[in-house]
Amino acid sequence: MPAVAVPPGSPGEGLARVQGLETLESAYEAWLELKAEHGATRARFREERERLEQQGSFLVGAVRAAGLEPDSGAVSALAPAGGEGFLGEAQARLSERRAHLERQEAEAERASQAALSEIRATLTDRIQRFLEATRPRLQLLLRKVNAQHTILHVARVGGDEAVLLCFLFAGRIPSRYGFLFDDSTEDVSLPPPVLYADEGVPPEGVRPGAALLEARLRAPGEVVPLKGFLPVFIPKPGGGTEFFRLLQRGPVMEVEVAEGDAFRSLLAREEAERFAGHLLRLKLAGKIDLELEAG
């Protein structure tokens, strides 16, 4: 049985592309290409499995129609001799093809998963080295509403800074380079998704509520498929952390805090101070550059 055709390129070539690229954006593009190749290869194996199943079903139907089936009683008595042997040989050939296909598929999957794992590790290492060499710059804008409430904005950051901040805030790399600025939606009657249908997230799970979104962000893993925001976990006075997010809104990101299964942008004074204090601690630790501006 011939090998199943796969898309041009190989997992090793995809990894070599990532290792040879200097910018984060180009490395992410190569990663997405490899994931697309992996998906195309899976689809081709799926199509081949379906083809073999159709062949098997057609064979059994033809044998029954010819009266060659061993257990067809009086009908098989009138059938030509050798029907049982014909069916057995044909089924043996199909079984051999299925086993060969399974071996091919398992080998291709192992190679792809190994390459994807190494690419994620390569990107993580590169992001960590970028953070050691440079500090993302944040401009925090305070918009006082009244004596007790504040709205906080953070000036828009660049693509590289968004990736670096995701790793700094969440300890994981985003699945897409331009994730923070992506406001696309597959349904214009709904708000844009906050997750991509990627990294194990099903299409119906791209708009989770705040509680499910927090659980997803806290789950173990190297990659998080977030979209349109940056997560920030702020220590609480009594212990533990509270889930904030920086939601992209054109020229600024708006700071929101999780409340139940939703988010709230009108922050209590204490909440705003804790958020600003967390960024200040990161600045004093040499992780970011921070500018505060009261409006």
Side-chain angles (χ1 to χ4, degrees), residues 1 27 41 48 50 79 90 95 100 122 130 206 209 212 218 250 257 294:
M1 176 180 175
T41 300
E48 184 64 16
E50 292 172 355
S95 295
H100 183 70
T122 299
F130 274 36
V206 296
L212 287 177
R218 292 185 182 275
V257 62

Side-chain angles (χ1 to χ4, degrees), residues 56-116:
S57 177
F58 181 80
L59 172 65
V60 171
V63 166
R64 286 174 177 167
L68 299 177
E69 195 171 22
D71 296 329
S72 57
V75 177
S76 64
L78 300 176
E84 184 175 354
F86 171 81
L87 179 61
E89 290 176 5
Q91 289 179 328
R93 287 195 298 270
L94 281 173
S95 295
E96 183 181 351
R97 290 178 182 177
R98 290 191 189 98
H100 183 70
L101 183 66
E102 289 174 359
R103 290 193 296 269
Q104 281 186 292
E105 186 173 15
E107 182 179 348
E109 185 68 18
R110 281 194 298 270
S112 292
Q113 291 298 338
L116 287 168

Side-chain angles (χ1 to χ4, degrees), residues 4-14 17 30 33-41 44 112:
V4 174
V6 296
S10 69
E13 291 173 356
R17 289 199 300 272
E33 288 176 9
L34 181 59
K35 288 196 284 189
E37 292 168 3
H38 181 216
T41 300
R44 289 171 186 261
S112 292

